Amino acid sequence: MPSGSPRHDAPLESAPSPPPRSTSASPSPQESLTLRALVSTKDAGVIIGKGGKNVADLREQTGVKAGVSKVVPGIHERVLTVTGDVESVAKAYGLIISQLIEAGPSSPTTAVPSSHTSLRLLVSHNLMGTIIGRNGLKIKAIQDGSGARMVASKEMLPQSTERIVEVQGTADAIARAIEEIGKCLLEDWERGLGTVLFHPGVGEDRSPGSRRTSTNFPPGGYGGGRRSNGADALKPGSPPPSPPQISGSPTPAANLRTQNISIPSDMVGCIIGRSGTKITEIRRLSGSKISIAKAPHDETGERMFTIVGTPEANEKALFLLYNQLESEKERRVGREAVVQQE
């Protein structure tokens, strides 16, 4: 999917700004990988260390670029970003996890027994199929080879097209799993282009009563896995965002961005809706102009959607389009299940 203009992370504390985009790497001779994870504010403090000592030591030991996003008032989660070659990124995360375990059992990411913990990776929705693999063979191989377990959220995080993949196990097992996950992401990096990055505190409800659905990947693999095309059998994501506040003055042309995404032809109707009602609503809520190609653009049978608007408006449009795809896929899966029962 061609690249858009997602927002960058907030400036990093005690670290240089990481490359933008998603968990996938940008094309480069070094095949550099950028892998993001969600950590608690307390764990972020441990990772950074007094005066930035810990994160500086981490860079020196592994050669990676690493940092943590700035604190958002009232939000108790921050984004850890690590960039480097696959082996170095895996080693860095292994050292970070060991550090968190040593910091004490009171750390929110540390479970019992103390030698086991978990890491919440941020992975592009479009790259989930790459990690799962055909008939779940890739996820099974990663779990069997590393000794770690993996749990994936079924919905995308608010105002983004990223999902959480929680990797559970010892520090060494998680590091081994991350190395294999990183290889998968690099092999299929194009699918991560245009990912709308998650920013803690943006349009989310993380109250104790809020529900978060996840999928446990069994040791034997995930039978429903396949290459993702943006229309996997997922539960609908978070509620659509509130309509953007559109001022009376026109948006300067310099602020407009163009985003192109491919949608399976059999899903186009569900996005347009009866008499165009659904696409009209998405345009209204996002503030972006959305045009749809009349014919498939290649042998895949997918049709191109072109989104034009400000970066913020385009993010809302993408979020709403993906939610509509998820809802329709879930409806079709449910309908097929009813037919099979009959």
Side-chain angles (χ1 to χ4, degrees):
M1 191 161 57
S3 172
S5 299
R7 288 195 306 253
H8 294 188
D9 274 333
L12 298 183
E13 180 173 312
S14 304
S17 297
R21 298 282 177 217
S22 65
T23 50
S24 65
S26 298
S28 68
Q30 293 78 28
E31 292 192 319
S32 180
L33 173 74
T34 294
L35 195 58
R36 295 167 11 110
L38 204 57
V39 299
S40 69
T41 299
K42 180 175 180 179
D43 285 347
V46 173
I47 294 166
I48 294 170
K50 190 172 183 179
K53 182 181 184 304
N54 290 350
V55 75
D57 289 345
L58 182 74
R59 293 183 199 133
E60 186 176 344
Q61 292 176 43
T62 63
V64 300
K65 294 179 181 179
V68 184
S69 61
K70 285 191 172 181
V71 174
V72 177
I75 301 300
H76 304 293
E77 292 174 325
R78 299 165 70 178
V79 175
L80 166 66
T81 303
V82 181
T83 300
D85 61 69
V86 175
E87 292 78 9
S88 297
V89 169
K91 180 181 178 182
Y93 270 107
L95 292 172
I96 288 169
I97 293 164
S98 297
Q99 206 170 46
L100 294 176
I101 292 174
E102 291 173 6
S106 58
S107 171
T109 61
T110 304
V112 178
S114 60
S115 62
H116 283 67
T117 187
S118 64
L119 181 72
R120 293 174 293 166
L121 297 178
L122 294 170
V123 176
S124 171
H125 166 74
N126 272 8
L127 285 163
M128 290 300 297
T130 300
I131 295 174
I132 294 170
R134 188 181 299 277
N135 296 322
L137 293 178
K138 177 61 69 174
I139 194 68
K140 180 182 185 301
I142 293 175
Q143 292 187 122
D144 291 348
S146 66
R149 292 293 304 276
M150 296 169 67
V151 181
S153 62
K154 286 189 176 181
E155 66 256 14
M156 289 177 285
L157 290 163
Q159 301 291 332
S160 79
T161 56
E162 287 189 306
R163 289 160 61 185
I164 288 177
V165 175
E166 187 171 340
V167 187
Q168 306 167 345
T170 63
D172 287 342
I174 293 174
R176 287 193 295 269
I178 286 176
E179 183 170 350
E180 294 306 313
I181 290 170
K183 290 176 182 177
C184 292
L185 299 180
L186 284 179
E187 287 172 4
D188 220 8
W189 62 267
E190 297 99 330
R191 288 185 177 272
L193 294 176
T195 295
V196 181
L197 301 180
F198 172 65
H199 301 274
V202 178
E204 58 177 325
D205 177 13
R206 305 303 274 272
S207 60
S210 64
R211 183 174 63 88
R212 183 181 290 174
T213 311
S214 60
T215 296
N216 285 281
F217 291 122
Y222 180 70
R226 62 175 179 82
R227 291 286 184 182
S228 171
N229 61 6
D232 287 337
L234 309 172
K235 288 185 182 286
S238 302
S242 301
Q245 299 300 315
I246 303 174
S247 62
S249 57
T251 301
N255 291 337
L256 296 179
R257 301 289 185 271
T258 299
Q259 173 91 42
N260 292 312
I261 63 170
S262 296
I263 301 292
S265 291
D266 66 340
M267 287 287 183
V268 171
C270 79
I271 292 178
I272 295 175
R274 189 182 298 274
S275 301
T277 53
K278 290 183 179 178
I279 192 66
T280 298
E281 182 71 356
I282 291 174
R283 288 171 177 143
R284 185 184 70 81
L285 289 174
S286 67
S288 290
K289 294 181 180 179
I290 304 173
S291 58
I292 307 167
K294 293 182 179 180
H297 57 83
D298 59 22
E299 67 279 359
T300 65
E302 297 185 343
R303 286 165 65 182
M304 189 69 72
F305 278 52
T306 301
I307 306 168
V308 180
T310 64
E312 293 78 11
N314 286 358
E315 286 186 15
K316 284 188 172 70
L318 279 170
F319 181 72
L320 293 168
L321 286 169
Y322 276 123
N323 272 350
Q324 188 63 33
L325 285 170
E326 292 174 22
S327 298
E328 174 64 14
K329 191 65 177 181
E330 184 72 10
R331 186 187 69 81
R332 294 185 184 186
V333 170
R335 185 175 61 189
E336 290 172 4
V338 170
V339 171
Q340 290 176 357
Q341 288 176 359
E342 292 177 349

